[in-house]
Amino acid sequence: MKRTLFLYAALAYTACVSATVPTAEDILTKILENVSKIHTASYNITERVFYTPDDSLYIDEEVYRIVECENPTDTVGLPIYIRQNETGRLRIALSPEYSYYDRVTHIEKSRRHGPGYSWAPFYNRVMRMCEYFLKPSDNLSLTVIDRGDEWEIDASVSGHMIIFSGYPRVVEMSSADHGSHFGLRVDKSTMMPVWVSFLLGLPASRYEESVSNVELNSFAPETFSVSDYFNGLSTYEGEEERALSKKWSRQHLSEIRHAPLPTDTLTTLDGTLISLVNDTTRAKVIFFATTHCGICHAAIPSINNIYESYPADRVQIFGVMHETRAQPRGIMELLKRENVRVPMALNNGRFYEYFYPDGLAPAIIVIDRKGKIALIQNGFNAYNPKQTEKRIREAIDAVLRDHNE
């Protein structure tokens, strides 16, 4: 009898706990209600990028400070925002009409292409996701997961892929079994969102964003101006900006040709130590790349060919990824998937920037045994890769001939 009463009590307790779990629709409705009251927000955001939607190891991690403001003429479609790095320097700014990028010596100004093609700030993206998931759909499945202090909504969409860049974009898939998953976590006590997982780009990568140090409605929207964050730099647009960028790039590259090489020691993902100043027995070829650079992928076959064409005791060929916070295992899996055979190292926040402060990729630099730069190859001809490969080989061969003389 006691055992039966205990069982009844346990079942009653389980039912009571289950009854306290809100539905996904209730959570989404409450989030949407709370987020719609936000007119301005400042917060830190940690962003992780996973190369494919199904990957568990991230290939990049960045921490930004965001200032997000609604557009008074379109409060949800075209948000205004500032993205700064950890030092407070501007990375990107968006006004209703223009995008602004920090180019080290000046600000590049260009017209926006609309909300469907822009990186959206956190609360704007959450609003878009909530609106989409609250629409009736036979392809959508919502599950609530209890994560202690947070509710998590796991959203599964079958049959097609949704890209959340600004407004959601539907990408129809050829296979009916193909779908996509999204995540949204909310603090139980405040019912405010704290984390999202979504897809971005074509082909799609998975992004995770979490916020901290949040300040809401701390200033009026009408007092906000993106130009307040330009750090005194002038803005340039169109041909004027391109001419200025080329001029600055030529000047910078001319300066580093005659400057001492960086003394940093990097370690490749396979454990090889790299130093441009300690090893004077070999010529060096450096391949600069990033995980989000499409042309970098096009350059890989040529870089592999060059790597396998020269003896390692005469030419050291390696690559440096621009990413500094990536998981090494995640990058190794990516390089294996892309068939990158050249040893690659992660950036230390200084080495890559010495040569390319603006993060240019891809790029190849050839250095002779005495530490003199013999070739600076900015970019790669993806339509005629043999042309760029030939130029690099000619520079290496010239350096080796000089070594023999």
Side-chain angles (χ1 to χ4, degrees):
M1 180 67 176
K2 290 182 178 179
R3 184 176 181 181
T4 303
L5 289 174
F6 177 79
L7 179 60
Y8 284 151
L11 290 173
Y13 174 76
T14 302
C16 180
V17 172
S18 299
T20 63
V21 177
T23 66
E25 288 76 11
D26 287 342
I27 295 175
L28 290 169
T29 300
K30 188 62 179 178
I31 295 174
L32 196 56
E33 177 186 338
N34 288 339
V35 171
S36 65
K37 298 175 182 177
I38 299 173
H39 303 290
T40 62
S42 303
Y43 48 88
N44 292 347
I45 191 164
T46 300
E47 180 180 273
R48 290 178 173 178
V49 184
F50 300 79
Y51 188 57
T52 73
D54 299 324
D55 285 353
S56 59
L57 298 170
Y58 59 85
I59 59 171
D60 193 16
E61 180 184 74
E62 296 283 355
V63 178
Y64 303 112
R65 183 67 181 175
I66 304 292
V67 183
E68 178 179 349
C69 180
E70 68 180 14
N71 176 0
T73 62
D74 181 359
T75 56
V76 294
L78 285 169
I80 309 168
Y81 77 89
I82 298 292
R83 191 190 328 181
Q84 299 169 305
N85 62 21
E86 293 177 277
T87 66
R89 188 175 184 92
L90 177 72
R91 292 290 297 272
I92 183 174
L94 265 71
S95 72
E97 298 87 14
Y98 292 96
S99 301
Y100 301 89
Y101 300 90
D102 190 328
R103 298 306 187 198
V104 183
T105 60
H106 62 281
I107 303 293
E108 175 189 342
K109 177 182 178 182
S110 59
R111 287 200 173 273
R112 291 182 68 174
H113 298 294
Y117 299 90
S118 299
W119 186 92
F122 182 78
Y123 292 105
N124 183 268
R125 191 187 309 282
V126 167
M127 181 175 284
R128 299 279 74 77
M129 294 178 72
C130 289
E131 290 172 342
Y132 184 84
F133 294 144
L134 282 170
K135 293 179 180 179
S137 172
D138 294 334
N139 296 328
L140 176 64
S141 173
L142 299 173
T143 304
V144 178
I145 303 171
D146 190 339
R147 295 197 177 276
D149 294 334
E150 299 170 349
W151 297 119
E152 179 176 333
I153 295 178
D154 179 77
S156 176
V157 180
S158 62
H160 52 257
M161 187 173 289
I162 312 299
I163 308 299
F164 279 99
S165 55
Y167 285 116
R169 299 166 58 196
V170 179
V171 181
E172 298 295 340
M173 310 304 295
S174 57
S175 171
D177 295 330
H178 203 296
S180 46
H181 288 83
F182 306 90
L184 176 59
R185 292 178 192 164
V186 58
D187 183 280
K188 287 182 179 179
S189 62
T190 63
M191 294 303 288
M192 289 295 294
V194 295
W195 175 91
V196 292
S197 174
F198 59 95
L199 304 182
L200 193 64
L202 293 173
S205 297
R206 182 167 65 88
Y207 285 66
E208 289 183 357
E209 294 178 342
S210 58
V211 294
S212 60
N213 298 327
V214 177
E215 300 175 11
L216 299 178
N217 295 323
S218 59
F219 60 91
E222 58 269 18
T223 66
F224 181 78
S225 173
V226 295
S227 61
D228 292 340
Y229 297 81
F230 288 175
N231 301 316
L233 297 177
S234 300
T235 62
Y236 296 90
E237 183 180 5
E239 290 300 325
E240 188 179 25
E241 193 284 325
R242 283 187 282 274
L244 189 65
S245 291
K246 290 179 180 179
K247 178 181 178 181
W248 173 81
S249 179
R250 287 194 299 267
Q251 180 179 343
H252 171 71
L253 294 177
S254 175
E255 290 173 354
I256 66 172
R257 279 184 182 274
H258 303 95
L261 293 172
T263 59
D264 307 64
T265 298
L266 301 179
T267 304
T268 63
L269 295 169
D270 62 5
T272 302
L273 293 178
I274 297 170
S275 172
L276 299 182
V277 296
N278 294 339
D279 181 358
T280 59
T281 63
R282 296 179 289 177
K284 294 175 177 62
V285 179
I286 314 171
F287 173 47
F288 294 89
T290 72
T291 57
H292 58 268
C293 166
I295 304 299
C296 294
H297 301 301
I300 288 171
S302 292
I303 299 300
N304 284 340
N305 290 338
I306 293 171
Y307 173 68
E308 293 168 346
S309 298
Y310 294 92
D313 62 340
R314 303 192 67 197
V315 183
Q316 183 183 32
I317 302 175
F318 61 90
V320 179
M321 306 294 297
H322 188 255
E323 287 73 16
T324 59
R325 296 174 178 266
Q327 285 179 299
R329 284 179 55 209
I331 293 292
M332 290 175 68
E333 287 295 319
L334 170 62
L335 298 177
K336 181 179 179 181
R337 188 180 299 158
E338 295 293 322
N339 193 30
V340 179
R341 298 192 289 275
V342 178
M344 301 292 292
L346 294 180
N347 184 27
N348 61 2
R350 299 181 304 274
F351 188 92
Y352 201 114
E353 288 76 4
Y354 173 86
F355 295 98
Y356 296 103
D358 58 352
L360 175 71
I364 299 94
I365 289 181
V366 178
I367 303 173
D368 69 14
R369 193 173 56 184
K370 298 178 182 179
K372 181 181 177 181
I373 295 178
L375 173 70
I376 297 177
Q377 172 62 45
N378 294 340
F380 192 91
N381 189 338
Y383 298 101
N384 188 0
K386 291 296 182 183
Q387 182 184 67
T388 307
E389 182 178 336
K390 179 183 177 183
R391 186 165 187 244
I392 298 169
R393 288 180 179 275
E394 289 174 347
I396 298 173
D397 293 340
V399 165
L400 293 179
R401 284 196 299 271
D402 290 342
H403 289 184
N404 293 331
E405 293 177 355

